[in-house]
Amino acid sequence: MLLRSMPNASSQLDAILQAYPDLLFTLDDAGLILDYRAGQAVSTLFSSPGAFIGQQVQDVLPREFADSLKIGLANLKTSGGPVSFEYSSLQAGDRRWFEARLVRSALAQVVVIVREVTLQRQAEERIEAQLNRMASRRAVDLAISSSLDPHLALSLILSQVMAQLAVDAADILLINPQNLLEFGAGVGFRTQGLQDTRLQISDGFARIMSLGQKVLSVPDLRRGHTGFLKARQLVDEGFRCYYAVPLISRGRVRGILEVFHRRALNPEQEWFDFLEALAGQAAIAVENATLLKELQRTSLELTLAYNTTIEGWSRALDLRDRDTEGHTQRVTYAAVKLARRLGLTETELLHVRRGATLHDIGKMAIPDSILLKPGPLTVEEWDMMRQHPRYAYELLSPIPSLGGTLDIPHYHHERWDGTGYLEGFAGRQIPLAARVFAVVDVFDALTSARPYRAAWSNADAAAHIVEQSGKHFDPEIVTEFLKMLRATKTGDLTLPE
């Protein structure tokens, strides 16, 4: 045998192997062990080195190693160059990793050097886990910052808990306005029992919430104190381990993140750190959702107050001019209905609704002697009356939020052929909302009784609209208006159906 025939080399090799944690075999091409040397660090893997000499690798070596070694020998015959592979072995309940390198010697023998790489492998796994957890937190941050849906963020957080912490189930309990804990989101449960959770903040949960972002651990639910948990549901789920951490944001507890596992766990500190980090992100998501709800509620209250104020201005004008009372409500309904048929967006429809409501607000600046005059107006009085779109603009333009609303009060007396007032705009120079409103405004005026004339029939008013298409009105809007008029079930365009 090569190594035993060289005493000096053998002694030197023994010294080298004692200094390094290496295992060395010399084999022939058939897998027969010709020599065996082991450093002290790995000698305990093979209890009787002397018994290996002259044996086949598959007969004396651990199966994981022997199988990989046979494949390595076959690859070495094919490639001729060095061959490396890794394999693992379960030793005393712990997984140990080894790296083997096969090299052909000058005497047509194969030298196999084995080194344990468990520590390196564990370090690589820790680094990989850290990178994965960093990526997970980044994904959660993006979900929180880019989505207004809190359930999306909470679901993503729970999926990351499952994936990165290798647990069976997780949920988030949120504190509702009644100071009860209720189910917010969950994943990994076999039953639906926990989804109905509505719990008082009892002593056990109060303990969790007072932990200051620390994790409460119950390694074995069969023995630990679980009076604050839904014991029956936990039994049905078969959980063994329980961990909980409060969701704290801006010094306020928003809920609890719970983690469950059906087997024993022995987590490291990094595991707990990541759980607390995800709990912090969940708290931010919950707080953002709370702030959004408060903002939406405030916005709704402001919008209602705003609309009420606008309607109040319109009613004030109706009270002043009894002859046109109810006109504003009718044309507002009809204008929004026609605008919707023409495909305007919800924001544009809001401007149409408000603009129609305020279309004659400029008449507040017209003297009663002109506005309420029972007879015909003089030329000078008509000039004053035609200023009401300008007065509307001057009244409303200082209010920034009414920017899109101004089109109807300011331009609803412009005509498609350019002969209207005040600006003399023509065609598509006239804002779309004003062109839509002009049609329903004239139709309602014609079909409403006035002290100086009787109301026109719908058919006569519609015929007038058609006759003025391309003159007073936008032809495309007239076409859609007539379709809407024919489709109206009540026979009255300006009343809700």
Side-chain angles (χ1 to χ4, degrees), residues 178-384:
Q178 292 74 42
N179 208 34
L180 296 175
L181 280 167
E182 61 182 8
F183 185 87
V187 63
F189 296 98
R190 295 171 179 168
T191 67
Q192 304 296 318
L194 292 176
Q195 294 187 13
D196 299 325
T197 298
R198 286 177 64 86
L199 300 173
Q200 296 286 343
I201 301 178
S202 59
D203 293 341
F205 283 117
R207 178 187 171 194
I208 297 174
M209 294 177 180
S210 66
L211 290 175
Q213 201 71 358
K214 298 298 181 183
V215 180
L216 173 68
S217 301
V218 182
D220 193 339
L221 290 170
R222 298 168 299 181
R223 300 178 183 177
H225 173 65
T226 59
F228 59 94
L229 298 173
K230 302 185 75 174
R232 174 57 61 87
Q233 285 84 348
L234 298 180
V235 170
D236 293 342
E237 290 282 352
F239 293 132
R240 180 173 179 180
C241 302
Y242 172 83
Y243 301 89
V245 59
L247 310 184
I248 300 176
S249 179
R250 298 179 184 268
R252 182 179 175 183
V253 178
R254 305 285 180 174
I256 298 174
L257 170 60
E258 298 182 307
V259 172
F260 304 88
H261 200 56
R262 295 183 175 91
R263 296 176 300 279
L265 278 178
N266 186 26
E268 299 178 349
Q269 185 59 44
E270 291 180 357
W271 189 95
F272 289 105
D273 293 341
F274 186 67
L275 178 60
E276 291 185 39
L278 289 181
Q281 290 180 297
I284 293 173
V286 173
E287 181 185 19
N288 287 351
T290 302
L291 293 176
L292 178 61
K293 288 182 180 178
E294 293 176 355
L295 181 61
Q296 289 173 334
R297 183 175 63 253
T298 301
S299 177
L300 177 60
E301 292 172 352
L302 288 174
T303 299
L304 292 174
Y306 201 56
N307 290 339
T308 300
T309 300
I310 291 174
E311 292 171 3
W313 291 349
S314 174
R315 283 196 297 271
L317 183 60
D318 278 351
L319 290 173
R320 188 175 177 218
D321 185 3
R322 291 288 184 177
D323 289 344
T324 60
E325 187 175 4
H327 168 72
T328 298
Q329 287 74 22
R330 294 192 301 271
V331 295
T332 297
Y333 169 78
V336 171
K337 184 176 180 180
L338 179 56
R340 181 173 282 112
R341 289 176 64 97
L342 290 166
L344 274 67
T345 66
E346 289 301 319
T347 299
E348 291 169 331
L349 291 175
L350 176 62
H351 292 320
V352 169
R353 179 178 290 106
R354 289 177 173 174
T357 303
L358 296 172
H359 75 280
D360 270 344
I361 194 65
K363 289 183 179 180
M364 296 291 288
I366 303 299
D368 286 350
S369 59
I370 297 175
L371 183 66
L372 305 180
K373 186 176 180 178
L377 300 180
T378 66
V379 173
E380 293 78 11
E381 288 170 340
W382 267 117
D383 287 341
M384 172 64 74

Side-chain angles (χ1 to χ4, degrees), residues 436-451:
V436 170
F437 181 79
V439 177
V440 298
D441 186 38
V442 171
F443 183 84
D444 182 76
L446 292 176
T447 55
S448 299
R450 293 289 186 265

Side-chain angles (χ1 to χ4, degrees), residues 462-487:
H464 176 78
I465 297 295
V466 172
E467 191 274 329
Q468 288 294 311
S469 177
K471 301 174 186 177
H472 191 163
F473 309 117
D474 180 341
E476 293 181 4
I477 293 177
V478 169
T479 299
E480 192 61 39
F481 172 79
L482 294 175
K483 292 179 182 178
M484 184 176 75
L485 189 62
R486 287 192 293 268

Side-chain angles (χ1 to χ4, degrees), residues 63-199:
R63 181 175 177 179
E64 300 92 340
F65 182 28
D67 291 344
S68 299
L69 188 57
K70 290 177 64 177
I71 296 173
L73 288 172
N75 292 337
L76 184 63
K77 289 181 180 179
T78 302
S79 65
V83 173
S84 298
F85 63 86
E86 283 190 358
Y87 75 97
S88 65
S89 178
L90 197 61
Q91 302 289 332
D94 294 327
R95 179 68 59 181
R96 298 175 69 175
W97 286 88
F98 302 90
E99 180 183 63
R101 184 174 177 83
L102 284 64
V103 181
R104 188 170 294 282
S105 71
L107 299 178
Q109 297 172 338
V110 178
V111 178
V112 182
I113 300 176
V114 181
R115 170 168 294 179
E116 184 172 4
V117 293
T118 301
L119 295 179
Q120 295 93 315
R121 187 64 178 260
Q122 291 173 344
E124 290 173 358
E125 290 175 350
R126 282 195 296 270
I127 292 173
E128 183 179 1
Q130 290 172 354
L131 292 175
N132 289 337
R133 289 170 182 174
M134 290 175 61
S136 297
R137 293 189 59 184
R138 175 61 177 165
V140 172
D141 284 337
L142 288 175
I144 293 174
S145 62
S146 62
S147 174
L148 298 179
D149 183 2
H151 296 288
L152 175 63
L154 295 182
S155 296
L156 180 59
I157 288 170
L158 292 178
S159 68
Q160 296 302 325
V161 168
M162 296 276 286
Q164 303 301 326
L165 299 183
V167 294
D168 290 326
D171 67 21
I172 291 176
L173 305 180
L174 301 177
I175 300 178
N176 66 16
Q178 292 74 42
N179 208 34
L180 296 175
L181 280 167
E182 61 182 8
F183 185 87
V187 63
F189 296 98
R190 295 171 179 168
T191 67
Q192 304 296 318
L194 292 176
Q195 294 187 13
D196 299 325
T197 298
R198 286 177 64 86
L199 300 173

